[in-house]
Amino acid sequence: MVGAFVGAFALLMLSAFTSVLAGGPLSTKRELVNAAYQANVGECLNWERKDLSDAQKVDCGAAHRFEVTGTADITAAYPKEAPFPNAEAWEKISQEHCAQAATTYMAGKLDPEGKYGVSTLNPDEKRWSDGYRQIRCGLQVTAPSGAALPSYGSARTQDQSNVYDPGICLALGEGNTVGDPVECAQPHAFEIVGVVQHPEGEFLAIDKQDAIMSEKCAAIAAEYTGGADLKAKGLLVTWDTRSEKSWAVGSRKANCKIGAVPQGNNLVAWKDSVRNPNGAPLTTANPPQTTSVRPQDEPTGAPLHSESGKSPSESGKPSDSGKPDKPSSSAPTTTSENR
């Protein structure tokens, strides 16, 4: 995810409603979850527990994990006698019924490589066996693992750039990818040192973005580290770029970051932070960038990641928009270049 997400949407099936909705006495928790099932387009839902037993409607300006973009009744394709869908079937349902709903909800301006992914709230097996066939489509910010991250404000009014607050470290994931936010004391691929806001106007070609980011990220990194000798530490400065598709819907922000010198095309994990402990307080977004919040330890329910074929919006798979698996070849690598 080293910037914009590319690839197929992370289509998240939040089937963990099962334990609360499958039966049992009517309780306050159950009423709250039922309210989530009854959420309308434009409403937002939040929960803290892994089983979603405390899910409820909240103001979209507050922290939330799901924004409803539409509803769909799939009875025609799945009559009462139809078996409960497996993971692949749920993914197909999500693509067919929710991808377009998200694009329509965003008035055609959904960043295909941004921080929002298409998700669904699906009935559990008990409700399915009782003939319940309605799903809720929505948008949510998800970590590469599929864990839902808190978001603030309606997706329709937020900058969709896939960026992190300074001071966030990102794990090295499987397959040479960039993973979830982790404590910087743990092995990680990158440490975010700042965010650059590109100006409005015509799309800047990648080489022009690189020129801007090279200069600005070097200065940001020097301030962040207190002028540390990164080369001596086996580290270098790199950055993200925004694609033309992202630029077209208004995404203008990009991260500056520090990573270990790669081995060929492979990222290398490293530990601890290079932030100057005596430096000025970090400037973070207000409210904070949603991805700066630590995700749940595990995804809620069973996350469905498309492994072949791409949904119309193509998002949710960790990658960098311009340089997917390695720092920029033009990134400064010596202390003098970072001062």
Side-chain angles (χ1 to χ4, degrees):
M1 142 171 59
V2 188
F5 284 169
V6 294
F9 261 124
L11 300 172
L12 186 64
M13 181 180 74
L14 302 180
S15 58
F17 276 100
T18 302
S19 60
V20 177
L21 293 179
L26 187 64
S27 66
T28 301
K29 291 181 180 178
R30 178 166 176 166
E31 289 171 355
L32 291 175
V33 174
N34 282 339
Y37 265 103
Q38 297 165 3
N40 298 313
V41 175
E43 293 183 326
C44 292
L45 307 172
N46 194 40
W47 57 84
E48 294 297 334
R49 298 172 182 168
K50 294 179 182 179
D51 64 357
L52 279 70
S53 61
D54 60 341
Q56 58 184 304
K57 295 180 186 179
V58 297
D59 187 286
C60 288
H64 59 274
R65 298 178 188 270
F66 194 87
E67 183 170 351
V68 181
T69 59
T71 61
D73 191 303
I74 58 175
T75 304
Y78 296 88
K80 188 171 182 179
E81 63 274 12
F84 189 73
N86 59 20
E88 292 182 359
W90 276 126
E91 182 175 346
K92 182 174 183 289
I93 291 169
S94 297
Q95 291 174 330
E96 291 178 347
H97 295 278
C98 292
Q100 186 56 50
T103 301
T104 300
Y105 182 77
M106 297 291 284
K109 293 186 176 181
L110 177 61
D111 187 344
E113 299 168 356
K115 64 184 180 182
Y116 291 101
V118 172
S119 299
T120 64
L121 293 182
N122 306 322
D124 54 73
E125 291 190 58
K126 172 61 168 62
R127 285 186 167 237
W128 183 272
S129 65
D130 290 339
Y132 189 89
R133 294 293 186 271
Q134 190 173 77
I135 63 173
R136 268 166 175 71
C137 302
L139 289 171
Q140 64 179 179
V141 177
T142 55
S145 67
L149 293 164
S151 183
Y152 301 85
S154 171
R156 290 185 287 191
T157 62
Q158 300 304 301
D159 186 289
Q160 299 178 55
S161 304
N162 192 24
V163 293
Y164 296 83
D165 275 332
I168 299 303
C169 289
L170 305 175
L172 178 57
E174 295 182 1
N176 200 40
T177 61
V178 179
D180 290 8
V182 294
E183 297 294 339
C184 292
Q186 299 180 27
H188 54 273
F190 293 106
E191 180 173 356
I192 304 300
V193 299
V195 177
V196 172
Q197 171 78 57
H198 289 296
E200 296 299 318
E202 295 296 321
F203 173 68
L204 289 178
I206 298 301
D207 60 340
K208 293 183 178 180
Q209 290 186 49
D210 280 337
I212 293 172
M213 296 298 289
S214 176
E215 179 180 356
K216 292 190 175 182
C217 290
I220 288 172
E223 181 177 359
Y224 184 92
T225 65
D229 187 345
L230 296 179
K231 184 176 181 180
K233 297 176 181 290
L235 304 174
L236 50 71
V237 178
T238 185
W239 53 84
D240 300 334
T241 57
R242 294 281 77 89
S243 71
E244 191 166 5
K245 290 180 179 179
S246 293
W247 196 280
V249 298
S251 295
R252 297 287 191 279
K253 296 179 180 179
N255 276 131
C256 298
K257 58 205 178 191
I258 289 175
V261 175
Q263 296 180 352
N265 289 330
N266 294 320
L267 297 174
V268 175
W270 54 290
K271 293 183 179 181
D272 300 321
S273 171
V274 290
R275 183 188 172 203
N276 176 14
N278 300 315
L282 296 177
T283 300
T284 56
N286 185 23
Q289 294 294 338
T290 58
T291 41
S292 72
V293 182
R294 291 185 64 190
Q296 299 171 187
D297 292 334
E298 298 176 1
T300 302
L304 306 180
H305 298 282
S306 296
E307 296 181 356
S308 62
K310 296 180 174 65
S311 69
S313 332
E314 294 189 341
S315 182
K317 192 173 182 179
S319 179
D320 182 294
S321 59
K323 292 158 274 297
D325 294 319
K326 59 183 179 180
S328 168
S329 59
S330 58
T333 59
T334 65
T335 305
S336 60
E337 290 174 304
N338 284 311
R339 290 188 182 278

